[in-house]
Each structure stands twice: as structure tokens, then as C-alpha cells.
Amino acid sequence: MDGEDEFDAAVAVIGGGPAGCSAGVFTARAGLETVLFDRGPSSLRRCASLENYLGFPAVDPETFLELARDHAATAGCRIEDDLIESVTALEAGGFRLEPQDGDPITARHVIAATKYDGSYLRGLAAEGGMFVTEDRDGESSERFDRDYPDSDGRTPVDGLYVAGPLAGCGDQAIIAAGHGATVARTLLRELRADEGYWGKFAPHYDWRRKAENRRDEWTDLERWVELFEESAPDDYEAETVRRLAERYADDRDATFVDAETATERAERGQRRLAAALDDDVLLEAVDDDAILEYADGLVETESGGD
């Protein structure tokens, strides 16, 4: 997207828990260069067993976090095992992030997705309101104000978003992951609005559909142009409407996949899940006859079928 090349990354996500990884998946899949900083004692690791995340009847937190990081990396995130100590605003817009060990980087957007500590944001709190003072056991201390961001993670600081428990969404992993996705989609919607998209065309569309279900009328570019013209703002020139319609049509076209591609992606996903499982548990779950058949196939392959 325009203006992102002047930064080391378009999006810097701070925190590699459910909220941060989820946000990173959405921004990276949308084509934004995303770096995710993850080093710290995640509260999820203190959970004995994660038993209320939909799709996982029960999973140990380490396996879940491994899968979450792998998903983010597969989506295109660059994972940095480093701790961010401070975030400051750049005069021309964007942010400078100072890691504990690595070199500083710049990013156009920051998604703060740590659970407890938002102290690395103090360099952005010059206008006040980001931190509140609370008394506990007779002593005063400051903490990040979870009411500072709105429900979609936006803050008064341009380009800064907050996701997960730090934004007050709650501690449950599934809720934090959902909020991370919500915040990323908010960022993407605002970027698309800056590019000229309006109303129902502004939200980012991240959904893969079967090519066989595509209606023929939407293969015609002029149908998209007509749809855009029907609701375009009055001050939009015809060439702008057409440019946006063409790009929108191309983006939608890319969401359709054929049956073979869908099958390949599903198998790739199953292999990732299988790789995260304990070998003994995996073998125990597989039917003995299936194991023998698979082993026979390997032997036959190695012998050349003789």
C-alpha cells in the first residue's frame, strides 16, 4: 500500500499470544509487511490445559502457542524473539521501536497486543490519558488505561492500535484471538478508506471460496464498475471509480480457488497440525491397518515396485 516502503515494516505487532498472532495473520495475509515481536512469559503458558478454544477439545498451551506462531509465520509474519522496550512517534508519521537486543526498526502502524504491561508505550503518552493511577495496599502505581482504545482497538494516536486483554477485551484465549482479528481488520479498513474505498467496499475481504460456486455475472468487470457507480460518492471522478472497481474485482477474483488447490491447502494444514502432535499419540490415534498399508507403500516405493 502507498507510503509503506519508507518504513522497515508496515505493521509491528507487539506480543505473540492469541491476540498478536491473530492480528498478524490478518495483516500479513492482506499483503502488509508485518513483524511480530514475541518474547516474554505469556500468561497462557501458566494455564494447565486450554479446554475452551473452539476446535480444540483440549490442548496444552505450548502446543497451541506453537501452532499460533507457525500460522503467523506461514501467513507471512516475520517473527522476532525480542522484547520491545519503547515505542516513540516519528515526526513524519509512524513509529520507532526499540527492542531489548536487536536493532531499532520503524513501522507505519503498531498493534500493542501484550496482556499486562503497556509501559513501552509511555513515549506516546505526552497528551495524557493513556495511563491511569490506581491505589493498591496504600501505594500508588500507574497502569495502561484499558479504556484508552475503543472497542475496535483504535486510539487517539494515529497508527496505534491495541488488541487483546490490554484493550480490556478479557482473558479468554478465544476472545483475545477474535479481538486481535477485529483490530487488524479495523486497521485494514482504514487503510482502504484512505485509498478511496467507501462504505461496504472499505472492509478487507479475507475469505476463500470454491470456484465452482462463482456466479458468471461477476466474471464481467463491467458489472463491478456498475456496482461501484451506483453508490460512488458524488465527488468521485469516473476514472477513480473505475480504477477502484478494477482493483476490487481483481481482489475478489483472487479469493476463488479450484477444488485441487483447496484440497492441497487442506492437506497442508492437516500436516501442520500433525507435526505439532506427540508421535506416540499420533500413532495411537491412527488405525493399525492404515499404518501397515502406509508402511507397505513405502517399502514398495523404495524397491521400485519389484
Side-chain angles (χ1 to χ4, degrees), residues 170-183:
D171 294 337
Q172 297 294 319
I174 194 167
I175 297 174
H179 192 253
T182 295
V183 172

Side-chain angles (χ1 to χ4, degrees), residues 54-99:
L54 187 64
F56 292 89
V59 60
D60 69 276
E62 289 294 340
T63 298
F64 175 82
L65 289 170
E66 177 187 340
L67 287 168
R69 278 177 54 121
D70 176 69
H71 193 171
T74 301
C77 289
R78 185 171 83 249
I79 310 293
E80 296 287 349
D81 292 316
D82 208 340
L83 184 71
I84 293 299
E85 294 189 327
S86 68
V87 180
T88 53
L90 300 173
E91 288 187 8
F95 304 92
R96 176 185 173 92
L97 293 83
E98 296 277 356

Side-chain angles (χ1 to χ4, degrees), residues 16-121:
C21 286
S22 180
V25 165
F26 274 82
T27 57
R29 281 174 58 85
L32 295 180
E33 184 176 356
T34 302
V35 57
L36 189 153
F37 289 91
D38 178 27
R39 195 182 77 185
S42 170
S43 62
L44 188 57
R45 288 189 169 90
R46 294 198 294 275
C47 175
S49 179
L50 182 58
E51 300 179 4
N52 56 8
Y53 200 99
L54 187 64
F56 292 89
V59 60
D60 69 276
E62 289 294 340
T63 298
F64 175 82
L65 289 170
E66 177 187 340
L67 287 168
R69 278 177 54 121
D70 176 69
H71 193 171
T74 301
C77 289
R78 185 171 83 249
I79 310 293
E80 296 287 349
D81 292 316
D82 208 340
L83 184 71
I84 293 299
E85 294 189 327
S86 68
V87 180
T88 53
L90 300 173
E91 288 187 8
F95 304 92
R96 176 185 173 92
L97 293 83
E98 296 277 356
Q100 186 176 72
D101 297 323
D103 295 328
I105 74 160
T106 59
R108 175 64 188 89
H109 311 277
V110 167
I111 299 178
T114 52
K115 178 176 180 179
Y116 298 116
D117 186 16
S119 61
Y120 53 85
L121 298 174

Side-chain angles (χ1 to χ4, degrees), residues 175-277:
I175 297 174
H179 192 253
T182 295
V183 172
R185 282 172 51 81
T186 297
L187 187 160
L188 294 171
R189 184 176 66 246
E190 293 183 341
L191 284 178
R192 286 172 60 81
D194 290 343
E195 292 176 355
Y197 290 102
W198 64 90
K200 65 181 181 181
F201 301 112
H204 174 64
Y205 192 86
D206 190 356
W207 186 24
R208 297 296 179 262
R209 296 184 293 174
K210 297 178 180 178
E212 63 197 61
N213 294 336
R214 182 170 186 170
R215 292 162 57 183
D216 291 341
E217 64 177 297
W218 295 110
T219 62
D220 182 5
L221 174 60
E222 294 307 316
R223 181 68 186 91
W224 288 104
V225 175
E226 292 172 5
L227 184 65
F228 268 58
E229 288 176 339
E230 291 171 3
S231 62
D234 294 337
D235 58 345
Y236 273 46
E237 297 180 354
E239 63 180 55
T240 299
V241 173
R242 185 171 190 88
R243 173 177 57 79
L244 293 172
E246 289 178 353
R247 179 174 173 183
Y248 193 87
D250 288 342
D251 290 344
R252 281 299 184 100
D253 185 64
T255 67
F256 289 92
V257 296
D258 57 41
E260 182 179 355
T261 300
T263 299
E264 289 175 354
R265 292 180 180 180
E267 290 178 352
R268 187 166 63 240
Q270 290 181 17
R271 289 191 178 93
R272 289 198 193 102
L273 289 172
L277 299 177

